[in-house]
Amino acid sequence: MTQTSWTPPDSSAAGATLETFILEGMFKVPGATGAFTSLLNQIGLAAKLIANRVRRAGLADVLGWTGDTNVQGESVQKLDVISNDTFIAVLRRRGHCMGIASEELDDAVLFPHATGGYLVTVDPLDGSSNIDVDISIGTIFGILRADSRPITTASFLKPGREFSAAGYVIYGSSTVLVMTTGEGVHGFTWDPGAGEFFLSHENIRCPQKGNLYSVNEGNASRWTPGVRAWNEHVKSVDVADGRPYSQRYVGSLVADAHRTLLKGGIFAYPADTKSPEGKLRLLYEAGPMAFIFEAAGGSASTGTGRVLDVVPQTLHSRCPLIIGSRSDVATFERFSRG
Ligand code: AHG
C-alpha cells in the first residue's frame, strides 16, 4: 500500500487547545518572552478549576451563603470565595502577575516577588445570585501592563482601552472561555472528557444589527426619559427595521453578554436614580466586556461616550454599560443623548 501524506481534517480547529492557540499566538510576536502567554494559560487553568467546582456545586456542599458581605455590601456565597481563592492561588505562581484586583476584595492583592509585569482584574464568579437556581454564571477578567513601580492601587486605575487582554468564561449548558488580545475574539469550549478547552468559535464577529434587547425593565421608573424613550422604541412596530425586538434578560452579565456577542442586539445596564454611576463595575465587568465587544466589531457605550475611555477612580468604580451590535448601540445613544 502506498503511503500518502496526511492532512488534518480541519486545519483551523483540529487539536487547537486553548494552550496551543495561545502558544501559536506567541510565536507570531517577535521578541515575545512568553510571560504573557504563560499568564493567559494560568487564567485558563483557574477557569478549569472553577468550572469543575461549579459543575459539582449542588453535590459538594458549596452552595449557599458564607454569612459574610463583600465590599459592595452583597452577600458572599461559598463559590464566590472558592473562585476568588482559586484565582489568587493560581496567579501567584510563575511570577507573571504582580497583583490582582478582585470584586471579592476591598484592596488589591500584590505579589512583590513577581517580575512579569502584568496586573489582573477579575470578577471570579459573576451573577452569583443565580448559583442556587442553576442558571448560567461566569468569570470576567482583564489584563493590564504594570508599567510603573512600585505597584499600588493606582497602578490598576487605567481606562479599559489599556487592557492587554480581556475575556470571560460562561459556565452554561457548555463551559466556554472567550478571550481577546484586542485583535480577534476567540471562544474555546471545555471538553470535560479530555480536560481541555478546544477552539470552537474562531474570530467571533458581533452582528452589526440584531433583534434582541436585554435590560432589567423593573428599573424603568428609575431611568432617564431618554432611556425610557429607547425602551419604547425597541418595542414599537416597524417591520422594515425588525421591530418590535424580542426581550431576553438572564441577570448574569456573562450570559447576557455572550448571547448578545453571538446573536447581536443590545444589552443595557444604564445609569438610573438608584445607581447614578450604573451598577456594573468598570475594572472587572464593564471594561473587559467593552474591550471584547469592540474587538469583535461591536460597540460599548456609557450611553453618551466610549466605556473604554472611562478612567476608574477606585478599584470598585461603577459605570453604565450598553454593549452590542453597532447599529443598536448607536440607536441607544441617540435616544440617551436626547
Ligand atoms: P452579582 O455578581 O452580585 O450577582 O451581580 C450580577 C450583576 C451582573 O451579572 C448582572 O448583569 C447584573 O448584576 C444584574 O443586575 P439586576 O439584578 O439589577 O438586573
Side-chain angles (χ1 to χ4, degrees):
M1 198 165 137
T2 324
Q3 181 81 34
T4 53
S5 64
W6 180 82
T7 23
D10 176 351
S11 58
S12 65
T17 64
L18 173 64
E19 187 163 5
T20 301
F21 190 84
I22 293 170
L23 272 171
E24 288 176 353
M26 184 189 92
F27 294 140
K28 292 180 193 152
V29 180
T33 63
F36 184 63
T37 302
S38 180
L39 177 61
L40 283 172
N41 271 318
Q42 290 297 89
I43 288 175
L45 172 60
K48 285 183 193 178
L49 294 169
I50 294 169
N52 195 33
R53 295 303 290 260
V54 169
R55 288 279 163 256
R56 293 184 292 123
L59 301 170
D61 192 28
V62 288
L63 293 180
W65 308 108
T66 60
D68 296 332
T69 52
N70 68 13
V71 67
Q72 322 292 344
E74 301 155 337
S75 298
V76 178
Q77 294 203 300
K78 290 180 188 175
L79 265 177
D80 287 313
V81 176
I82 291 166
S83 304
N84 189 55
D85 291 351
T86 299
F87 255 90
I88 292 170
V90 169
L91 293 187
R92 77 180 328 140
R93 304 229 163 225
R94 297 198 186 179
H96 306 311
C97 175
M98 305 190 79
I100 301 176
S102 164
E103 188 203 22
E104 297 301 332
L105 303 167
D106 294 21
D107 302 316
V109 174
L110 304 182
F111 303 133
H113 66 281
T115 55
Y118 292 101
L119 303 171
V120 173
T121 66
V122 66
D123 183 349
L125 206 60
D126 182 68
S128 52
S129 60
N130 285 323
I131 297 172
D132 282 355
V133 285
D134 301 306
I135 290 174
S136 299
I137 49 180
T139 295
I140 310 170
F141 65 88
I143 300 177
L144 290 162
R145 279 191 182 281
D147 48 16
S148 60
R149 304 289 185 276
I151 306 296
T152 64
T153 297
S155 311
F156 291 86
L157 304 182
K158 307 227 181 96
R161 62 174 185 265
E162 294 194 27
F163 280 125
S164 298
Y168 62 80
V169 187
I170 178 166
Y171 310 107
S173 49
S174 306
T175 296
V176 181
L177 187 153
V178 173
M179 54 152 277
T180 180
T181 53
E183 283 179 27
V185 178
H186 308 290
F188 302 82
T189 300
W190 168 247
D191 179 339
E196 293 283 1
F197 281 104
F198 285 97
L199 181 63
S200 53
H201 302 65
E202 191 168 10
N203 197 22
I204 296 169
R205 303 298 295 168
C206 182
Q208 291 300 294
K209 188 176 183 318
N211 57 13
L212 300 172
Y213 76 102
S214 185
V215 70
N216 183 345
E217 273 180 358
N219 291 332
S221 63
R222 302 183 181 125
W223 290 340
T224 63
V227 174
R228 280 205 288 271
W230 161 78
N231 186 234
E232 289 307 315
H233 171 78
V234 290
K235 293 189 286 190
S236 63
V237 179
D238 181 337
V239 176
D241 192 42
R243 287 185 277 121
Y245 280 18
S246 289
Q247 200 221 18
R248 299 283 184 276
Y249 190 73
V250 177
S252 265
L253 175 59
V254 170
D256 285 315
H258 189 59
R259 183 197 56 249
T260 304
L261 186 68
L262 296 181
K263 295 197 167 184
I266 185 165
F267 166 87
Y269 210 115
D272 60 34
T273 52
K274 183 181 172 200
S275 310
E277 306 297 322
K279 176 183 177 184
L280 301 172
R281 277 55 68 103
L282 190 51
L283 271 176
Y284 43 79
E285 291 178 325
M289 285 302 180
F291 193 77
I292 293 163
F293 270 78
E294 286 205 4
S299 292
S301 171
T302 62
T304 53
R306 193 181 175 217
V307 172
L308 292 182
D309 288 338
V310 181
V311 181
Q313 300 303 304
T314 72
L315 294 180
H316 304 287
S317 288
R318 296 170 192 266
C319 179
L321 179 66
I322 292 85
I323 45 177
S325 299
R326 272 194 191 184
S327 164
D328 293 306
V329 174
T331 300
F332 183 100
E333 285 185 325
R334 188 158 48 81
F335 280 96
S336 167
R337 289 187 174 127

